[in-house]
Amino acid sequence: MTKIRILFIILGGFLLPELTAAQNPALDVTYVRALQQKYPSVSSPLCAACKLWENPYFKSIADTAAHRPVVTFYVYTREHRLAQEALNIPRTGIPAAWSSGYGQPDETMIYRAANKESTDMIAKGHCQAWILLAWCLDAAILSDTYTFNAGMEFQGQNIGTELATEELCRKLTGFKGQAVTDSVQIWCGTSGAQHIYSQGALSVTMPEAYYKIITYKDLVTHQPVQLCYWLPNQPSEKRDKLPQRIIEFSALVKKLGFDPTIVLH
């Protein structure tokens, strides 16, 4: 009996690392590829080259010829913010690395080429922000997906008006202050074309603007609130310009030619 018990202990010593590895797979490129392959995109009628991509965290319709998100949708909650703050995923390595959606090309080299050509830095501009999705490792990884959640965005806007809208969503749920709401619906996308960067067979369109629609229910008044922004994709877009970028919902819809809140919800 003692010999059998010892044998089980020895076998356990060999098997435990394998079981642990299976439960906690290595966080590497292979993991990211497998994650992306779980969520293939499908055709969307929104435009000729549009594809709909749905994952458990957010939705996106992208123009896969221009390689820019047309509309994305995400529900950000107070619980997401608290989980993100507790988890504190480092914005380095795999959680911060960009990858291609399943079946889509890698855009890394064309961004490098574009930045050699441009006099102003061009960022991989998130629509749905990394920080708002970093409450979950897989959500953070999938937020860094070319075409479906990123457009060519001047860094000035990326850390200017775009960042200001992301900070607003966090503040609304109580970040460093009193919560105004416990849940925020966010529609974001890109519009127009101000330049096309090409390298080999791949061409990526730099959008003229980003847009964002933020809706929530006020905890005090219990009334719905809607905020709409049209964000010109320019290097001069500082954070304090955000109030100047407010636009009426009807005007936004007219500019886009469709209602984002109907297309994705």
Side-chain angles (χ1 to χ4, degrees):
M1 188 71 178
T2 302
K3 289 182 179 180
I4 293 174
R5 191 173 298 167
I6 293 172
L7 179 61
F8 275 123
I9 293 171
I10 293 172
L11 287 173
F14 283 111
L15 291 175
L16 185 58
E18 293 186 13
L19 291 171
T20 303
Q23 292 167 357
N24 300 287
L27 195 60
D28 56 15
V29 173
T30 301
Y31 179 90
V32 175
R33 286 175 180 165
L35 179 63
Q36 289 281 6
Q37 288 176 9
K38 289 181 181 179
Y39 312 112
S41 59
V42 297
S43 294
S44 165
L46 194 57
C47 72
C50 278
K51 288 187 176 292
L52 168 65
W53 183 50
E54 295 189 64
N55 59 61
Y57 313 103
F58 65 97
K59 301 177 184 180
S60 171
I61 297 176
D63 183 335
T64 59
H67 294 283
R68 64 174 185 85
V70 179
V71 55
T72 63
F73 175 66
Y74 171 51
V75 179
Y76 176 62
T77 68
R78 177 177 177 273
E79 287 71 23
H80 288 161
R81 179 180 61 77
L82 294 173
Q84 175 268 315
E85 292 168 5
L87 192 57
N88 195 27
I89 298 173
R91 200 161 183 176
T92 57
I94 290 296
W98 285 87
S99 64
S100 305
Y102 184 52
Q104 294 299 312
D106 187 341
E107 299 177 33
T108 302
M109 297 310 294
I110 200 165
Y111 270 88
R112 291 181 185 176
N115 273 297
K116 289 180 180 178
E117 183 179 334
S118 174
T119 55
D120 294 289
M121 181 179 173
I122 299 172
K124 299 154 188 170
H126 288 84
C127 274
Q128 299 300 336
W130 184 93
I131 194 68
L132 303 186
L133 283 155
W135 57 271
C136 166
L137 181 60
D138 283 357
I141 291 172
L142 291 176
S143 76
D144 293 323
T145 301
Y146 288 122
T147 297
F148 287 100
N149 197 41
M152 283 190 163
E153 182 178 34
F154 281 118
Q155 180 67 354
Q157 183 196 351
N158 188 39
I159 61 172
T161 49
E162 184 74 33
L163 180 59
T165 65
E166 297 165 10
E167 291 176 341
L168 172 60
C169 292
R170 297 176 74 193
K171 289 177 181 176
L172 287 171
T173 63
F175 180 67
K176 294 184 177 180
Q178 186 69 33
V180 176
T181 188
D182 55 13
S183 179
V184 181
Q185 292 184 308
I186 307 166
W187 288 266
C188 180
T190 65
S191 180
Q194 61 175 295
H195 193 82
I196 297 176
Y197 290 95
S198 298
Q199 187 178 57
L202 180 61
S203 294
V204 177
T205 298
M206 171 173 270
E208 287 182 341
Y210 278 62
Y211 69 87
K212 189 161 288 187
I213 303 168
I214 298 170
T215 66
Y216 61 91
K217 184 177 180 180
D218 189 287
L219 290 173
V220 176
T221 65
H222 305 291
Q223 295 300 309
V225 178
Q226 183 183 70
L227 302 170
C228 301
Y229 300 95
W230 188 262
L231 310 173
N233 188 12
Q234 294 296 326
S236 57
E237 287 296 288
K238 306 300 182 185
R239 287 158 70 176
D240 60 7
K241 287 187 176 182
L242 186 62
Q244 302 171 39
R245 303 305 174 220
I246 293 174
I247 187 173
E248 291 292 330
F249 177 73
S250 58
L252 174 60
V253 170
K254 186 176 181 180
K255 278 178 174 286
L256 295 174
F258 65 91
D259 183 342
T261 66
I262 293 176
V263 170
L264 284 184
H265 49 83

